[in-house]
Amino acid sequence: MLCQVQQPQILICLLAIIQILGLALFARGFFPYKVYLSGFANVTTAPPWPDASQTRPTLIEPEFDRLVFIVVDALRNDFVLGPDSGFDFVKSQIELGQALPYTARATAPTVTMPRIKALTTGTVPSFLDAILNIAESDTSSSLQHHDNWVQQFRQTGNRTIHFFGDDTWIRLFPNTFTKHDGTTSFYVSDTVQVDLNVTRHIQPVFSTQDWDAIILHYLGLDHVGHLGGPRSPLMKPKQREMDQAVEKIYEIVAQQDAERIKQDVNAKGTLIVLCGDHGMNEAGNHGGSSIGETSAALVFLSPRFESRPTIRHHAQGFQIINEDITTRIFGFPVIDQIDIVPTLASLFSFPIPKNSLGKLIPELLQRKNSGNSPVELLRALQLNAYQLGQLLCRMVPDLPQYLENPITQPSLSDTRGHIGELYSRAVIEHNKFLSSSLEDVAISENAAKNYLKFIHEAQSQLARTASDYKIVDMTVGTFLMLMSAVIFIYQSIFFSERSSSLWWSTNLAVFGMLAAYGVSLFASSFIEEEHSIWYYFTSTLFLLLAIQCFKIPNKSIVQQMWLFIQCILQLVLFRVTIAWDSNIKPLIIGELKWHMLALTLFTSILWNIYILSWSKYKPVHTTSASGAGYIIAICKIMMVLIMTLTCSLIFLYKTQSESQQENDIPEVYQNFITIYLEFANQLDQVALGRLIYNYCGSGLFLLTVLVYLIKRASILDIQGHEQQTKNQHYLDVLLCMATPILVLFTRSYYAPLFILYIVQLCFLRSWYGALPLSLGSSEFSHFNTRLVAFIMLCMIHAAFFMTGHSNSIAAIDLSNAYIGVTGYDTILIGALTFCSNWATSIWWCIAGWILLADCGHVSSWWEYVTTQSAMFGTFLLVLSVAVTILREHLFIWTVFSPKYLYQMAWTCLFHWCVQVIGGTIAMQLYAIRRTS
């Protein structure tokens, strides 16, 4: 108990270290790197032909000898295949039957790095790649030693590959590309230059003909989605720009192929693959598992298709292809994105990468020069089935005997139900077909069907394989988090020796809510709808407090009624804020958006003037002779001027970054910008963002100077210093100054929420100030601190969800993560991304400091920190137990894992970095505590 009273910060630091260490161990066990089969596939590991022929080549003859692989980031299927597509040239090729379109299903997490891994290795990447995706300097996830089609293509015939675009490829494939030029994938504010840097290479590089493959990765369409969503006015022009790039490439390679075939009869032609790495949701984000995010476009084009009637018309005879494809979107087949890998291996005659889970796309193997004969297609299916069988051998110990000796296995009736039976039957039928005159279509169809059944079953079993969890690390990590949480809970409950019986019913309800939230972490549906939980908790809490107002002692019925009305008004305001995203935001369009933004910033200025002119922000006795009063007055005037200029610059930045057209901005604001902000209007977005940061830093510096002067003037004042017991703090000014910068980090249509927050805070301070604590009683102080902690817990979580966020990775908003930044820096961009997504929660975090500073007791802050740490620590502990128990759950990677990542951010970044470290510094600098 002595440690609790005198030095609680030491115990808190120790428990924080234990908790973070436990979290790190648990994360290492729960998010391991995926284990791959080592080495690269080669021709010698391929199975023999079913009839043991020595005359046929081990791999089938290549269909193409050059490849152009174009990735358009976030190319959703409807952007190409939908009726409102801007890809006119690509659609014309599809309509002419000279291109093969598909919807390629991607798996979560739908972010760039995992999807590139899937596109090149054919595997389902580890969920940890979603974290590594934001670390541009990360090289630990390199594919240099993992089997993939890029390396296989390069090694087969010593081919040359060039790359231009997203530099993630350069990090994944170091020393692979002969020519390359990378662009950063996270600078989402750039929608133009990032693509021009790729397109400018088309003419000079393609014309040189010193290449066998060129990979292009365009980022602009994804950036347009992040900034304005799929319905952005910039989306259709960007689609046309991408379509024109494809058309230009097609024309160049068509001319080159025609000339190459004339000069060399063995020339095969060029295949162009246009695909998206993932899609996007209706907010323009991605990372989750919604239909829009997982539905990417995929189109195969080639000038060679123009002379192939089997592409334009379905062949008669061998009809196995379309029977296997049952799902269609926009009238075109749906495949898995990883199916690209074995398909490219077959088309270019190189071994299928060892770890690929993909299935061959048979339609691309129908060749004109072989008529309807399925010899090479069956061989390709055999190679695909054998490769998947090798992966499955780890799960099915007796499968190797079926793979190595399929024809000599026991009768099928003796091995009924074994997956190897499908492979044996397929090989037997395949052998029968090869031993015949190669005209028995029925036998070939049976062989193909059995190969496809085996491939499908192998895929299903491999997909059900449990991840390589490190249970020991998870268990030790959970134990450390348990130890930290238990001590925090003990400290919070038994922090004081006395507790009031006034709030026992509210206290009981709070514990019930916390228990209910813990239970909800075991249900995927509750995690997906977590916003409803916090909305309900907050509304219920204010209703309980309203009822409790009539039990507060030392208050007349009128005073109790006024406190009751304040709680009811809180409920009304809270209901407005939770309805903002779904009901009010759609109404804030056009000029109204700019009026609301201007009103929010102007309110911040008025609030700043009111706070700085409030009499409490002065030394108790300052004589004019000392001169301190004049200096303090100058500081206040300068702070108001800086605040005004900062708000004006933020408004200018918002108009430049979010207005689609100049006439979207009302004329009154255009005139204001032209007359008063002409100097800043000439700056680009990066320089303007940095100027805003500079003014914010200047304002913070002046606030620190102001507090120092007032404190020193009060100390030096010899009159009445013994009587100075007035509680003072300057966190109001800090919150007032933080509001505009948080508005900057928030989308403009959410800006008016901060006005409502200010009103809510005023009601909270009025209500909290009327509690018995304000009358000098310490009987209620400790519970009041815990009550404030839970109120703030509800408000910071509710505010997070009010601005359209959720527990999906797709809800992460990158649109404001590059303000004032020219390049990519992992720490800086990570910090800005956190601030832009947690802006409203940070606002309420500072508001909680104000309520604690109003209390003024030295112990209140550490009790508040202990209580918050107990709640965040318990949430993290319970979620860790939940994901451990449910690690085989169907939604473990789509629901529970993203939630765990968010909880890590809540605990480490929000609670410890902002709430504890930031709050402790702020309380030390800007609060003058009352001494009892």
Side-chain angles (χ1 to χ4, degrees):
M1 190 63 73
L2 181 63
C3 179
Q4 293 174 337
V5 176
Q6 293 185 352
Q7 292 183 324
Q9 60 269 35
I10 297 178
L11 181 60
I12 290 173
C13 290
L14 179 61
L15 294 177
I17 293 173
I18 294 174
Q19 183 187 84
I20 294 174
L21 178 61
L23 176 59
L25 282 173
F26 186 92
R28 190 178 74 169
F30 184 64
F31 296 111
Y33 278 105
K34 188 176 181 66
V35 177
Y36 296 96
L37 291 179
S38 59
F40 289 80
N42 56 66
V43 177
T44 60
T45 60
W49 285 78
D51 61 353
S53 171
Q54 300 295 325
T55 59
R56 300 188 188 95
T58 303
L59 303 178
I60 65 175
E61 183 183 352
E63 179 78 356
F64 303 95
D65 58 7
R66 296 199 310 177
L67 171 66
V68 179
F69 197 81
I70 308 172
V71 180
V72 178
D73 213 284
L75 185 64
R76 204 167 67 180
N77 57 348
D78 61 315
F79 293 167
V80 177
L81 308 179
D84 196 34
S85 168
F87 285 81
D88 297 332
F89 170 75
V90 175
K91 290 197 71 174
S92 68
Q93 295 297 106
I94 295 173
E95 292 169 359
L96 292 172
Q98 297 171 3
L100 291 176
Y102 299 91
T103 290
R105 289 176 301 204
T107 56
T110 48
V111 290
T112 299
M113 179 183 285
R115 299 324 311 155
I116 293 177
K117 285 189 173 183
L119 283 168
T120 55
T121 65
T123 62
V124 179
S126 166
F127 202 87
L128 184 61
D129 289 314
I131 306 173
L132 299 176
N133 186 65
I134 67 171
E136 293 236 332
S137 59
D138 174 71
T139 58
S140 58
S141 56
S142 168
L143 295 178
Q144 188 174 13
H145 303 293
H146 294 169
D147 204 357
N148 58 83
W149 70 255
V150 177
Q151 298 288 0
Q152 290 285 359
F153 184 94
R154 180 170 175 261
Q155 293 171 4
T156 304
N158 195 25
R159 290 165 167 163
T160 300
I161 305 177
H162 300 334
F163 171 77
F164 306 97
D166 183 357
D167 59 5
T168 302
W169 288 79
I170 300 174
R171 290 185 283 115
L172 289 175
F173 303 100
N175 306 317
T176 299
F177 306 116
T178 305
K179 296 179 181 178
H180 60 82
D181 184 15
T183 57
T184 181
S185 60
F186 281 90
Y187 194 59
V188 297
S189 299
D190 178 14
T191 63
V192 179
Q193 195 62 41
V194 69
D195 285 341
L196 294 180
N197 285 337
V198 179
T199 302
R200 66 187 176 91
H201 292 287
I202 291 179
Q203 186 63 42
V205 173
F206 277 78
S207 301
T208 306
Q209 297 197 59
D210 61 344
W211 54 273
D212 297 294
I214 296 179
I215 302 174
L216 307 175
H217 192 142
Y218 285 94
L219 294 166
L221 187 139
D222 176 66
H223 293 182
V224 170
H226 281 298
L227 293 174
R231 311 303 173 195
S232 168
L234 301 176
M235 183 59 73
K236 197 70 171 288
K238 178 57 68 174
Q239 292 177 12
R240 295 193 184 99
E241 179 187 344
M242 296 295 96
D243 184 67
Q244 291 168 4
V246 175
E247 183 177 11
K248 187 175 182 179
I249 293 171
Y250 187 92
E251 292 174 351
I252 294 175
V253 299
Q255 182 179 359
Q256 291 176 349
D257 283 355
E259 295 175 354
R260 289 192 310 118
I261 292 175
K262 286 182 181 179
Q263 298 172 3
D264 183 3
V265 294
N266 294 321
K268 300 295 184 180
T270 304
L271 175 67
I272 302 174
V273 180
L274 171 66
C275 65
D277 55 346
H278 50 74
M280 66 175 65
N281 58 23
E282 287 305 307
N285 298 322
H286 54 86
S289 56
S290 68
I291 294 178
E293 296 165 81
T294 57
S295 300
L298 173 64
V299 182
F300 295 91
L301 306 95
S302 176
R304 192 172 182 183
F305 289 168
E306 296 180 2
S307 59
R308 292 174 59 178
T310 52
I311 294 296
R312 294 193 293 268
H313 308 287
H314 294 304
Q316 300 298 321
F318 191 71
Q319 296 293 324
I320 186 60
I321 294 173
N322 290 325
E323 290 182 10
D324 187 60
I325 300 174
T326 57
T327 305
R328 289 178 175 267
I329 298 178
F330 298 112
F332 303 110
V334 179
I335 63 171
D336 290 325
Q337 197 177 58
I338 56 178
D339 294 346
I340 293 176
V341 176
T343 301
L344 290 179
S346 299
L347 293 175
F348 288 91
S349 190
F350 56 76
I352 300 174
K354 277 188 174 183
N355 299 285
S356 171
L357 301 179
K359 177 176 64 178
L360 178 72
I361 305 174
E363 192 170 0
L364 284 161
L365 268 295
Q366 284 187 303
R367 299 157 57 97
K368 178 184 176 182
N369 59 1
S370 59
N372 292 326
S373 177
V375 175
E376 294 192 336
L377 175 57
L378 287 178
R379 177 57 175 173
L381 289 172
Q382 182 194 6
L383 293 173
N384 192 186
Y386 184 83
Q387 175 266 322
L388 287 172
Q390 292 294 319
L391 279 178
L392 197 60
C393 286
R394 294 178 296 176
M395 299 174 54
V396 185
D398 56 346
L399 182 59
Q401 59 182 328
Y402 290 91
L403 298 178
E404 302 303 328
N405 302 292
I407 297 180
T408 59
Q409 285 305 303
S411 62
L412 298 180
S413 60
D414 296 334
T415 58
R416 185 173 301 131
H418 196 285
I419 187 174
E421 175 187 339
L422 294 174
Y423 184 78
S424 294
R425 182 186 290 118
V427 174
I428 292 172
E429 295 292 328
H430 190 180
N431 184 44
K432 287 181 181 179
F433 175 75
L434 294 175
S435 302
S436 67
S437 59
L438 303 182
E439 295 181 354
D440 194 331
V441 176
I443 296 178
S444 64
E445 286 185 354
N446 288 335
K449 287 179 181 178
N450 281 295
Y451 276 134
L452 290 172
K453 286 180 181 178
F454 174 82
I455 291 171
H456 183 269
E457 182 63 25
Q459 284 181 318
S460 299
Q461 292 196 28
L462 289 169
R464 292 196 298 266
T465 303
S467 297
D468 187 24
Y469 298 112
K470 298 178 181 177
I471 301 298
V472 174
D473 287 350
M474 295 171 65
T475 303
V476 175
T478 303
F479 175 77
L480 292 176
M481 288 186 282
L482 172 64
M483 182 169 61
S484 174
V486 168
I487 298 176
F488 271 130
I489 292 172
Y490 175 84
Q491 289 285 104
S492 177
I493 295 177
F494 301 101
F495 195 92
S496 62
E497 297 181 357
R498 294 187 302 169
S499 77
S500 170
S501 59
L502 175 64
W503 305 94
W504 70 268
S505 57
T506 307
N507 195 14
L508 183 62
V510 166
F511 279 108
M513 293 178 192
L514 292 174
Y517 178 72
V519 173
S520 73
L521 296 176
F522 287 83
S524 60
S525 299
F526 282 110
I527 290 177
E528 291 178 308
E529 301 296 325
E530 184 178 346
H531 60 279
S532 299
I533 296 176
W534 290 110
Y535 294 164
Y536 176 78
F537 284 176
T538 310
S539 301
T540 303
L541 180 61
F542 282 132
L543 182 61
L544 290 174
L545 294 178
I547 298 173
Q548 201 76 16
C549 289
F550 294 104
K551 300 180 180 180
I552 298 177
N554 304 325
K555 298 290 181 183
S556 65
I557 186 62
V558 175
Q559 292 173 319
Q560 291 177 342
M561 181 59 69
W562 171 236
L563 293 176
F564 172 81
I565 293 174
Q566 288 182 5
C567 291
I568 298 301
L569 290 175
Q570 282 282 15
L571 275 173
V572 174
L573 289 171
F574 183 74
R575 185 63 187 89
V576 174
T577 56
I578 63 177
W580 195 273
D581 184 58
S582 57
N583 299 327
I584 302 177
K585 185 186 73 176
L587 303 177
I588 306 178
I589 56 176
E591 295 187 355
L592 181 59
K593 179 175 74 171
W594 304 116
H595 290 314
M596 299 298 285
L597 176 62
L599 177 62
T600 302
L601 295 173
F602 185 67
T603 302
S604 299
I605 297 172
L606 293 179
W607 187 27
N608 188 41
I609 295 174
Y610 169 74
I611 291 175
L612 290 175
S613 62
W614 195 9
S615 61
K616 101 174 193 178
Y617 296 106
K618 301 175 182 178
V620 178
H621 299 283
T622 303
T623 61
S624 58
S626 67
Y630 295 111
I631 299 176
I632 292 172
I634 293 174
C635 287
K636 291 182 177 181
I637 293 173
M638 291 181 64
M639 288 182 64
V640 172
L641 293 176
I642 290 177
M643 180 78 169
T644 304
L645 185 55
T646 301
C647 290
S648 301
L649 293 176
I650 289 174
F651 184 83
L652 174 61
Y653 185 95
K654 286 290 189 180
T655 57
Q656 290 182 355
S657 62
E658 296 187 17
S659 61
Q660 304 295 343
Q661 299 176 356
E662 188 175 349
N663 56 11
D664 289 345
I665 307 173
E667 184 177 355
V668 60
Y669 301 128
Q670 294 185 26
N671 295 336
F672 173 79
I673 292 172
T674 302
I675 297 174
Y676 296 103
L677 296 177
E678 183 179 1
F679 76 98
N681 200 25
Q682 306 301 321
L683 300 175
D684 59 25
Q685 291 291 87
V686 174
L688 185 56
R690 291 179 175 178
L691 185 61
I692 293 172
Y693 293 151
N694 289 337
Y695 279 114
C696 290
S698 301
L700 186 62
F701 174 76
L702 279 176
L703 174 59
T704 306
V705 171
L706 176 65
V707 173
Y708 176 78
L709 289 174
I710 294 178
K711 287 183 177 181
R712 294 298 298 174
S714 297
I715 293 173
L716 293 175
D717 184 8
I718 62 174
Q719 299 181 19
H721 68 280
E722 294 295 335
Q723 289 75 31
Q724 182 182 351
T725 59
K726 184 177 181 180
N727 178 38
Q728 296 185 7
H729 66 84
Y730 305 88
L731 295 169
D732 306 72
V733 187
L734 179 65
L735 180 59
C736 183
M737 293 177 59
T739 300
I741 197 69
L742 294 176
V743 170
L744 175 66
F745 287 139
T746 309
R747 291 185 182 261
S748 295
Y749 39 72
Y750 292 122
L753 284 174
F754 289 95
I755 299 178
L756 299 177
Y757 292 163
I758 293 172
V759 179
Q760 285 182 285
L761 178 60
C762 291
F763 282 133
L764 268 177
R765 296 183 73 179
S766 175
W767 175 84
Y768 187 60
L771 295 181
L773 173 63
S774 63
L775 300 178
S777 171
S778 62
E779 181 183 359
F780 311 99
S781 62
H782 296 288
F783 180 77
N784 287 344
T785 301
R786 292 197 292 269
L787 179 60
V788 170
F790 185 72
I791 292 175
M792 288 300 106
L793 181 76
C794 291
M795 294 304 297
I796 60 179
H797 280 86
F800 175 79
F801 294 109
M802 286 173 189
T803 50
H805 293 98
S806 67
N807 286 321
S808 170
I809 295 179
I812 298 176
D813 188 0
L814 296 174
S815 61
N816 293 309
Y818 286 81
I819 299 174
V821 180
T822 54
Y824 187 85
D825 179 87
T826 302
I827 297 178
L828 179 59
I829 298 302
L832 290 175
T833 301
F834 170 77
C835 292
S836 62
N837 285 272
W838 270 264
T840 50
S841 298
I842 292 174
W843 194 97
W844 276 109
C845 179
I846 302 175
W849 304 346
I850 292 176
L851 291 180
L852 264 294
D854 286 345
C855 168
H857 286 287
V858 175
S859 62
S860 296
W861 170 247
W862 294 114
E863 184 180 355
Y864 178 81
V865 169
T866 302
T867 305
Q868 288 279 8
S869 299
M871 291 187 289
F872 276 99
T874 303
F875 296 161
L876 184 64
L877 170 65
V878 174
L879 185 60
S880 300
V881 173
V883 298
T884 301
I885 296 174
L886 302 173
R887 61 185 181 276
E888 305 297 335
H889 195 280
L890 179 63
F891 300 132
I892 186 64
W893 297 119
T894 56
V895 177
F896 291 98
S897 294
K899 169 58 181 174
Y900 201 85
L901 291 178
Y902 271 100
Q903 198 62 47
M904 290 170 65
W906 275 110
T907 303
C908 298
L909 299 179
F910 182 84
H911 175 64
W912 290 117
C913 293
V914 177
Q915 190 159 242
V916 178
I917 298 178
T920 301
I921 294 174
M923 295 292 283
Q924 292 292 331
L925 289 179
Y926 305 124
I928 300 176
R929 292 179 176 81
R930 178 172 59 195
T931 57
S932 359

